[in-house]
């Protein structure tokens, strides 16, 4: 099979991650779904293999891997468990704004330790009253002597219960995006309260909860970039993480497709394997077509970023395409299984539940369409 120009290093990384996922993650996927247990042990094993926190810059001892590398990791992880993949990739979402800020002091203090241990971090942007409308968030950071005091509530924060630190977007100035600033807040700072772990439809091992900041003081050097530059940091991270989210959808869809092919060849009806009916084989053909197209798009979005081109357009196209695709593929996989697909005895119902969030987090499908339309009009 052509590797679409993937370098030898990238092919080896992909292979290593796929083998890890098949051997360690996939056999535990149902257990993680049933128990909602955070995959601490698996994250530790991924870290030992150099597959976790690989975004940390070389300058502070990390691997400094790029966006396409993270697409490969995300696809491989999601073939094992999309919830595990989300937990692993959420660290990158928290870390990229720190990298983009070029705050070397914070790189050393918070990113360097992520190389030595399976340290987790969270991206705290969404609030109870504002998700898509990020520019309208209400959390404030008031300047006080040699630091800032943060006040407000965040919602739907992935990894929050296990994070050592948070990237927090807060308002330091005027209304709208120009009044927002990014900060690193250590998770043990006095005044932080974690909400209960949310009970979710899918990806249940991923830890998502609210975080409240009640007069939380942080030193001034924890500010990332200048005041008013936080919106750019928070949104800039998506250019690098949306391609990987798209790849996560591809990995999950690939797993559902494999399950569907296997079942369709084994299950008989009317005296022949169900795959011999065009009604079924065409469904498999459409799955294959859509998965291949989404994979190429996510790699394109990742490569554009690595080559230093603006990739907002391709990141949103890949994220939209892959997240709509994974919902369709997993729903069709349940259909191929018939009644058994609806049962927890088989994996496809779990895969279908795991798929839905791809259309919601890191910008909903509607928001991706808004971004794509805006980019078209700009051109
Ligand atoms: C499991 C999970 C994990 C998450 N992890 C994180 C995380 O780690 N960090 C973080 O900060 N956030 C996280 N989120 C939040 C997620 O990014 C938001 O839920 C998402 O951006 C949507 O925001 P909302 O839920 O407030 O919906 P809303 O913004 O209220 O939107 C509701 C509906 O209206 C639509 N809509 C809104 N505005 C428009 C418009 N202008 N035109 C058309 N349609 C529109 C939306 O597409 C959606 O369908 C997570 C969410 C979940 C469920």
């Amino acid at each position: 099979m052509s590797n679409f120009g993937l370098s030898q290093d990238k092919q080896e990384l992909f292979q290593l991650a796929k083998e890890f996922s098949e051997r360690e993650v996939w056999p535990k996927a149902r257990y993680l779904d049933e128990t909602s247990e955070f995959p601490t042990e698996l994250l530790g094993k991924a870290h030992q293999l150099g597959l976790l926190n690989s975004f940390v810059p070389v300058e502070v001892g990390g691997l400094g891997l790029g966006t396409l590398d993270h697409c490969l990791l995300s696809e491989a992880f999601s073939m094992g468990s999309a919830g595990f993949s989300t937990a692993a990739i959420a660290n990158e979402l928290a870390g990229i704004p720190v990298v983009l800020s070029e705050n070397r002091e914070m790189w050393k203090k918070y990113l360097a330790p992520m190389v030595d241990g399976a340290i987790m971090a969270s991206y705290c942007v969404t609030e109870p009253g504002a998700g898509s409308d990020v520019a309208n968030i209400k959390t404030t950071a008031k300047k006080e002597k040699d630091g800032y005091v943060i006040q407000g509530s965040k919602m739907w924060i992935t990894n929050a219960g296990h994070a050592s630190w948070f990237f927090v977007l807060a308002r330091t100035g005027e209304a709208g995006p120009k009044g927002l600033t990014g900060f690193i807040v250590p998770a043990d700072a006095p005044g932080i309260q974690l909400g209960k772990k949310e009970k979710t439809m899918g990806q249940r091992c991923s830890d998502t909860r609210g975080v409240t900041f009640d007069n939380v003081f942080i030193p001034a050097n924890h500010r990332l970039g200048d005041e008013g530059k936080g919106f750019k940091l928070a949104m800039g991270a998506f250019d690098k993480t949306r391609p990987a989210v798209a790849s996560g959808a591809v990995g999950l869809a690939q797993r559902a497709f494999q399950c569907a092919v296997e079942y369709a060849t084994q299950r008989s009806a009317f005296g022949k394997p169900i795959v011999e009916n065009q009604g079924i084989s065409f469904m498999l053909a459409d799955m294959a077509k859509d998965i291949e197209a989404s994979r190429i798009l996510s790699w394109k979005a990742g490569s554009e970023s690595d080559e230093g081109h603006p990739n907002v357009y391709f990141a949103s196209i890949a994220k939209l395409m892959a997240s709509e695709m994974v919902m369709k593929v997993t729903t069709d996989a349940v259909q191929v299984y018939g009644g058994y697909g609806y049962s927890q005895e088989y994996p496809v119902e779990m895969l279908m539940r795991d798929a839905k969030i791809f259309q919601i987090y890191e910008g909903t499908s509607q928001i991706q369409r808004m971004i794509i339309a805006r980019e078209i009009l700009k051109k």
Side-chain angles (χ1 to χ4, degrees), residues 302-343:
S303 300
E304 291 285 340
S305 160
D306 289 343
E307 288 165 19
H309 306 305
N311 75 330
V312 173
Y313 174 75
F314 279 110
S316 283
I317 286 210
K319 205 271 182 180
L320 175 62
M321 167 88 185
S323 54
E324 303 287 294
M325 175 280 294
V326 74
M327 204 60 244
K328 171 94 170 71
V329 166
T330 53
T331 305
D332 285 350
V334 171
Q335 196 65 24
V336 168
Y337 274 68
Y340 293 97
Y342 199 65
S343 158

Side-chain angles (χ1 to χ4, degrees), residues 117-150:
I119 285 173
M120 309 305 287
S122 294
Y123 175 90
C124 291
V125 171
T126 303
E127 299 186 351
S132 305
D133 188 9
V134 173
N136 205 17
I137 61 166
K138 303 284 181 247
T139 296
T140 53
K142 289 220 168 83
K143 201 150 195 194
E144 195 178 89
K145 287 187 217 151
D146 47 358
Y148 291 84
V149 174
I150 300 191

Side-chain angles (χ1 to χ4, degrees), residues 47 52-65 95-96 98-117 119 165 184:
H47 179 260
L52 189 73
N53 299 337
S54 47
F55 69 91
V56 176
V58 175
E59 192 180 311
V60 287
L63 290 175
L65 296 189
I96 295 291
V98 185
V99 175
L100 293 176
S101 76
E102 308 237 358
N103 183 330
R104 298 297 201 274
E105 210 184 333
M106 293 298 107
W107 286 19
K108 279 190 201 127
K109 189 165 178 193
Y110 291 98
L111 301 189
M114 296 180 95
V115 180
D116 301 328
I119 285 173
W165 57 268
I184 283 199

Side-chain angles (χ1 to χ4, degrees), residues 232-300:
K232 215 172 161 197
L233 292 178
M235 296 300 110
F238 288 145
D239 299 346
K240 297 190 184 295
T241 56
R242 278 182 185 148
V245 170
S247 289
V250 170
L252 172 55
Q254 180 72 35
R255 172 63 68 190
F257 170 70
Q258 282 174 210
C259 291
V261 170
E262 197 181 304
Y263 190 81
T265 49
Q266 285 168 4
R267 174 77 175 175
S268 286
F270 300 97
K272 60 181 183 184
I274 58 170
V275 76
E276 289 180 21
N277 300 292
Q278 277 191 347
I280 295 289
S281 63
F282 279 16
M283 236 191 284
L284 299 178
D286 281 341
M287 287 183 192
K289 155 182 80 69
D290 294 340
I291 292 169
E292 297 289 358
S294 298
R295 178 180 292 116
I296 289 171
L297 261 179
S298 66
W299 288 9
K300 163 90 176 159

